[in-house]
């Protein structure tokens, strides 16, 4: 792989909530692009919204990205430590840099202090809309020095607005969407510094992308409309903008923008529901990107080798939870049984199966059942009956065991198996088939009650291997108990 440290991407979350599916996909594409080109992947925390930013969100975002296995080269490691580069990757620790550049723009006449109150700004916006006008008046643009002094004397703290051109267009050459044109007369003068002295997102983002030498800004398409103003700021500061790539929107299965209404959308929810990070990464990679052969399964290193922005689609991508589960099952099946047990550890612990309770080794059970696992939480769920008292499903008790003649069958099996040797699947199968024949019963008339009595369920692992792994004491004990319960 080429090493090209000039390729620098970043993920720049605002820590105002969890890392959700959309943010995770943005992280992944930035990571893939950087890794693919031997570049640098930067993580920057955009915490300038003092009201909504929380440390808990920072931690959740870092945990999520770590869990996904997407390592970054520069950025925060936790709330205290950072790595790579020089200076902080928390925007709130970079305030002097933004203030210095606001000053530069003010001095160059490219920005002006704005004393309008929120009410005045809102009213200007409303009247602009009412007049069929396109852009609200910015009365402070043409404020006389005397008027400014008056405001200052009255103790009004100004915001700072950046002057957008009145005419012409700003053209974004987007690597995914192609050329997108914006009419300048529709763009209001952008607030770059709030009355609190802090920068707005659009401004801090430009200053940092430049300071951090970001070569490619890959982000969600909700930021496409911010891009023309950002490009104008680069220009005013005499800088070249990075390349932009805006990723298509993600829709839920019902065709509306993916949101909480569609169920779990935070990455940590997926972890807690038993998804494997490599499966989620694979799934997210295909949410808006594909190869010409529509290949579906890619391990992370294969994604790095195959990923390219030219494979990213403009059209919205639809999130399909069924496909994600299928993919997770594919990855789970590919793991060695010992690995399944170790990856399912938190779920096994929660079920009380660590340390392993008396009974068949978890690993052997995982080997037997691995075709059926879709999520890690299925591991304890599907194996619980080996370690816990049998709980009969409605079907098992009401339909299978309640059928006429079943009690006799169970007692016959007790007699057959009580001293049966060797207690191995092949021998058991032969003996039980012989039992069916000797009683003139169809296999199903014996196999179904047998399974229901020892497991409480009507489906599960292959019957005879299951019996072997349970061992004689458990099998015979459970057959006896079921027969007794039948009365
Ligand atoms: N902080 C912005 C967000 O979380 C980042 C936008 C960008 O990538 O430029 O949406």
């Amino acid at each position: 792989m080429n090493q090209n440290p000039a390729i620098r991407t970043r993920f720049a979350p605002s820590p105002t909530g969890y890392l959700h599916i959309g943010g995770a996909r943005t992280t992944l594409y930035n990571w893939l692009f950087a890794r693919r080109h031997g570049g640098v992947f930067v993580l920057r925390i955009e915490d300038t919204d003092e009201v909504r930013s929380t440390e808990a969100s920072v931690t959740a975002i870092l945990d999520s990205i770590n869990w996904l296995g997407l390592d970054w080269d520069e950025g925060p490691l936790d709330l205290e430590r950072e790595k790579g580069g020089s200076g902080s990757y928390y925007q709130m620790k970079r305030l002097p840099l933004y203030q210095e550049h606001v000053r530069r723009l003010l001095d160059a006449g490219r920005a002006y202090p704005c004393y309008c109150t929120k009410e005045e700004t809102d009213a200007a916006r409303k009247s602009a809309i009412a007049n069929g006008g396109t852009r609200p008046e910015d009365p402070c643009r043409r404020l006389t020095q005397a008027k400014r002094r008056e405001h200052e004397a009255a103790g009004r703290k100004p915001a700072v607005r950046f002057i957008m051109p009145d005419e012409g267009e700003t053209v974004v050459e987007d690597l995914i969407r192609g050329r997108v044109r914006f009419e300048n007369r529709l763009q209001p003068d952008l607030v770059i510094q709030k009355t609190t002295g802090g920068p707005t997102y659009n401004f801090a983002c430009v200053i940092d992308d430049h300071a951090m030498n970001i070569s490619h800004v890959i982000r969600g398409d909700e930021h496409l409309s911010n891009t023309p103003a950002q490009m104008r700021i680069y220009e005013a500061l005499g800088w070249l903008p990075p390349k932009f790539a805006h990723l298509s929107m993600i829709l839920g299965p019902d065709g509306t923008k993916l949101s909480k209404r569609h169920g779990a959308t935070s990455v940590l929810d997926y972890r807690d529901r038993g998804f494997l990070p490599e499966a989620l990464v694979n799934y997210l990679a295909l949410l808006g990107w594909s190869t010409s052969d529509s290949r579906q399964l890619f391990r992370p290193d294969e994604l790095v080798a195959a990923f390219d922005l030219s494979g990213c689609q403009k059209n919205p991508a639809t999130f399909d939870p069924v496909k994600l589960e299928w993919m997770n099952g594919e990855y789970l099946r590919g793991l060695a049984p010992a690995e399944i047990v170790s990856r399912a550890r938190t779920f096994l612990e929660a079920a009380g199966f660590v340390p392993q309770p008396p009974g068949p080794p978890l690993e052997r059970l995982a080997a037997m059942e691995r075709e059926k696992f879709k999520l890690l939480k299925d591991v304890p769920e599907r194996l619980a009956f080996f370690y816990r008292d049998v709980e009969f499903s409605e079907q098992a008790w009401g339909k299978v065991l309640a059928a006429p003649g079943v009690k006799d069958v169970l007692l016959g099996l007790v007699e057959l198996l009580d001293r049966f040797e060797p207690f191995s699947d092949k021998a058991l199968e032969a003996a039980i088939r012989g039992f069916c024949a000797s009683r003139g019963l169809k296999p199903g008339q014996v196999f179904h009650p047998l399974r229901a009595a020892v497991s409480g369920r009507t489906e599960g692992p292959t019957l005879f291997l299951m019996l072997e792994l349970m061992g004689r004491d458990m099998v015979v004990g459970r057959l006896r108990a079921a027969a007794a319960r039948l009365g």
Side-chain angles (χ1 to χ4, degrees), residues 10 12-14 46 201 205 219 223:
R10 53 45 162 202
S14 305
E46 301 205 324
Y201 150 69
C205 164
R219 61 187 173 191
H223 290 293

Side-chain angles (χ1 to χ4, degrees), residues 10-16 26 44-46 91 201 205 209 217-220 222-223 226 230:
R10 53 45 162 202
F11 177 56
S14 305
T16 55
T26 303
R44 177 172 81 225
I45 304 293
E46 301 205 324
Q91 287 190 324
Y201 150 69
C205 164
D209 284 339
V217 166
I218 304 170
R219 61 187 173 191
E222 69 274 21
H223 290 293
N226 290 322
Q230 294 182 1

Side-chain angles (χ1 to χ4, degrees), residues 72-90:
W72 55 100
D73 306 300
E74 299 175 16
L77 287 170
D78 53 36
L79 294 172
E80 270 94 46
R81 296 171 307 146
E82 308 200 31
K83 71 165 169 181
S86 60
S88 180
Y89 291 83
Y90 286 98

Side-chain angles (χ1 to χ4, degrees), residues 238-438:
W239 298 338
L240 282 177
K243 294 194 161 53
F244 293 100
H246 287 93
L247 306 174
S248 62
M249 192 191 285
I250 304 177
L251 305 178
D254 62 354
T256 63
K257 192 169 190 259
L258 186 69
S259 74
K260 284 212 185 84
R261 278 178 300 117
H262 298 102
T265 56
S266 101
V267 167
L268 296 181
D269 272 349
Y270 284 94
R271 177 195 67 188
D272 297 345
R273 286 170 57 206
F275 285 88
L276 297 168
E278 59 271 40
L280 189 55
V281 160
N282 188 156
Y283 183 75
L284 291 174
L286 298 178
L287 208 52
W289 169 81
S290 57
T291 50
S292 51
D293 59 359
S294 300
R295 179 173 158 193
Q296 295 294 306
L297 295 173
F298 294 85
R299 309 211 142 264
D301 56 317
E302 295 171 322
L303 283 173
V304 168
F307 187 79
D308 211 333
L309 290 174
S310 62
C312 290
Q313 75 206 29
K314 287 189 216 173
N315 298 334
T318 301
F319 185 76
D320 176 357
V322 178
K323 180 170 168 189
L324 172 57
E325 272 199 23
W326 162 78
M327 203 170 258
N328 204 62
E330 289 291 308
Y331 275 88
L332 212 39
R333 276 190 277 288
L335 298 177
E339 179 73 9
I340 295 179
V341 172
S342 114
R343 305 275 298 259
R345 189 180 167 96
T346 22
F347 298 93
L348 291 164
E349 257 167 11
F353 298 162
V354 174
Q356 214 231 263
L362 271 169
E363 233 176 275
R364 288 208 60 191
L365 300 183
M368 174 176 67
E369 279 294 81
R370 75 170 154 182
E371 291 299 315
K372 308 221 180 79
F373 300 138
K374 281 213 174 103
L375 301 171
L376 288 171
K377 76 175 171 55
D378 298 341
V379 178
E381 266 167 33
R382 293 199 70 89
L383 305 183
F385 67 87
F386 285 95
Y387 304 118
R388 290 213 186 112
D389 289 346
V390 178
E391 271 177 46
F392 294 100
S393 71
E394 229 173 270
Q395 181 86 0
W397 187 259
K399 286 241 164 72
V400 179
L401 291 170
V406 162
K407 186 175 174 187
D408 264 4
V409 169
L410 299 184
L411 290 174
L413 286 168
V414 169
E415 207 169 297
L416 172 74
L417 300 178
D418 199 17
R419 274 186 205 86
F420 184 78
E421 285 288 353
F423 212 80
S424 69
D425 66 336
K426 295 271 170 320
L428 285 164
E429 178 167 4
I432 294 170
R433 286 192 186 279
F435 172 87
C436 298
S438 71

